Amino acid sequence: MQGSLKLFTHRRTELDWNDIPWSGVGKGAIDHPSWRMWLHSLKWVDQLVAGSLRSGPEGGSSFRELAVKVAQSWIAWDQSQGAKTLPAWDGHASGLRLTTLVGLAELVDEPWIRNAVRAHTIHCLSDDFFDGHWNHGVVQSIGGLAGALLLNLPEEIKRARSRLMDSFSVMIDSEGAVNEQATGYGRYVARLLETVVSLFDQNGFQEHIQLQKSLAKLRQFIYHSIEPSGDYVQLGDSYPNDESSGEGKPRSWFDSADDAEFPPAARVKVYREGYVFGRSGWGESRPFSDESFYSVRFGRGRVIHGHNDHMSVTWYDHGRNLIIDSGHSGYAPGVVRDHLRSPSAHNVLEIVGHRHDWSVATSLTSHQQREHSSFYEFEDSAYGVKRTRTMLAVDKGPLIFVDRAGQNGRQYHFRQLWHIAPEFELAESSQDMVRFSSARGDLELVLIRFHVTRENLHGHSGMSYWRGNLEPVQGIVARREGEALPAPCVGFDVKGEQVFLLTAAVAVPAGEDLGWSLRSDTDTTCVLRIHVGQDSFSIDVNRMTGMLSLRSRPGFPADLQRKWDKP
């Protein structure tokens, strides 16, 4: 008995229903950890159960027979193993499979299916096998609750309810941010929470009222994490959209949002969990896709689906991605997966040759939000030495950064990395400036490095460039499963005891002139001026602390701007 199976983003494969490759080898098997997990989850059997229910007792018999055949095949294979094996019994697969078995039990009320539900319910609610307070643990608890409700097991129902409440209190903080450290998982956690709210409501569990409040806050987090393109900003193990699940672009959430929810009140949102999301607006005075947007990561060390991306920045303006996260290509182990999670895949200051401790937290030590700009200061010691980044984001204007690190008496190789969207090509470079041109022909992106001299700062400067390198991996971007597209990456290198690296990122429309200057103002301050066509921006730079403040911008008088931005 032959058939075909397509699991999410993986290719369609031909299977023999009499010999399903549960062990991961044989006809139709795909050697990929995610494919094996989804195979064992049996979630694809839900379509057969739904088909049987739609077709009724007579017309649905073929759907029902195949669903039973697959479930019994899995049970027979599992019993032949002699012990619980992975990935069949990991938290995600076993929890998902349990919900499928519960659904199948509505069609087939026989001892074998009820025994399977009982065994899975005990497993998923056992403390010994609990995956913890993240999406896998929630899936286990949802399955356990569904199984306990089907079998009318009061103690197990109580345990599942309590565990779900504990999980969501940990996974979604008081501000609505999720603990997965990946923006794309916000929507998955929201779907799980929606399922639990519905289950609780249907069964008269009053906790659903409290969970609905958490869901409302989580929705706000998701709104803030969506770029003007309508895609998620790729942070952690995230894809730009939900197309693999059939939901399409995240932007559809905006279109269906309650008026009380959208747009959020704030243009800039800082989450204690470690996210900064800023934008020029929500489409009130210009098309939504024309707004500018940036993100920054900080917070506790890497966990769950996080990457080593602390202090990394992304930038969107002029209707496109400019500075990007290198993305996520799936969970298959290898050099690409390792690279995409590493600091080198992000827009950070790294110290070449020094071990990066990804368990170290990064602090947001200062944040000042003005009418047209926002200032941030971040600090950590992930390389064993203090590292500080200050950043000034100007609405519909440039981004300015100061990176500081090092200590006297020791030589370091500092490298400030910038990952550029793949539509850009390197057009010009020098030691202190890199210019990229968009393939559309309408925009240039320029990165400018400025030398800020101090008595204790000296050393050699250079530049590195990659695009599509695979040995070692650098200059790639992944936006979907298995992808590794060539994309520009530039590194500003400095070798010395300490570094004070002032950098400007400027988007220049085609045909516009770009100019810049840096001059001393006081003993501790210099003034950076950037001119794009007729527009001028003036920024004060404290060359001791890295403090950045906006003096003037287009359409805002210099004296008034100074009044706003000076403490």
Side-chain angles (χ1 to χ4, degrees), residues 169-244:
S169 70
V170 172
M171 293 169 62
I172 306 169
D173 70 8
S174 60
E175 296 179 312
V178 295
N179 69 341
E180 303 271 345
Q181 293 191 350
T183 46
Y185 273 85
R187 180 64 186 109
Y188 185 40
V189 172
R191 288 200 299 269
L192 295 175
L193 182 50
E194 289 164 350
T195 298
V196 173
V197 167
S198 178
L199 264 175
F200 278 24
D201 191 22
Q202 291 170 14
N203 289 278
F205 304 155
Q206 293 304 305
E207 301 99 312
H208 76 89
I209 298 173
Q210 178 181 340
L211 293 179
Q212 284 174 327
K213 295 178 181 178
S214 295
L215 180 58
K217 293 178 180 178
L218 175 53
R219 285 178 178 272
Q220 293 291 305
F221 173 80
I222 293 170
Y223 294 151
H224 281 289
S225 70
I226 296 176
E227 297 175 331
S229 64
D231 288 331
Y232 296 117
V233 57
Q234 275 192 277
L235 302 177
D237 290 339
S238 300
Y239 297 123
N241 53 57
D242 296 318
E243 290 176 356
S244 64

